[in-house]
Amino acid sequence: QPGPNWTGAGVGDDAHGWAADGLRKHVWHDGPSDVDWPGDAWSEGCVVGCAIDLDEGTMAFSESGHWVPAARLVFRPEGRAFFPAFSLQGEFQ
C-alpha cells in the first residue's frame, strides 16, 4: 500500500531524471518515449548498462553488452548533479 506522500512519479517522469525501461521499451526524460529495443523485453539474465558522457551531454544504455543507439539521450550537463539509481518494480528473488 503506497504511503500518504506517494505520487506515482518515477525516475524520468520529470525534467530532472533520465531512465531506460526495457520491459515497456521506453526511455524516460520528462515522460516516456518509445524505443526499438532489440529482441524481447528485458528478462532474467539480461545485464543492463548505462554510460554518461558529461562532456558531450549524452547518456547511453546497453542490454547484455550491446549498446542500443535508439536509447541514447542528449542533455545539457551544465549546472547539474547526477545521482545514479535503479528503480525496479515486480517480483525479484
Side-chain angles (χ1 to χ4, degrees):
Q1 185 75 345
N5 296 323
W6 185 74
T7 65
V11 177
D13 281 340
D14 63 22
H16 304 288
W18 296 264
D21 182 337
L23 184 61
R24 292 181 285 183
K25 299 190 176 205
H26 295 316
V27 289
W28 294 76
H29 174 66
D30 213 7
S33 298
D34 291 337
V35 172
D36 186 19
W37 289 99
D40 293 328
W42 292 347
S43 59
E44 185 176 340
C46 283
V47 176
V48 178
C50 177
I52 271 186
D53 185 327
L54 294 176
D55 293 324
E56 293 292 323
T58 59
M59 185 176 301
F61 296 93
S62 67
E63 178 181 347
S64 297
H66 301 283
W67 293 105
V68 180
R72 184 175 176 265
L73 297 168
V74 178
F75 59 91
R76 295 182 61 149
E78 298 85 14
R80 295 188 183 267
F82 292 88
F83 303 92
F86 282 92
S87 175
L88 305 171
Q89 179 179 345
E91 295 182 29
F92 302 93
Q93 297 182 16

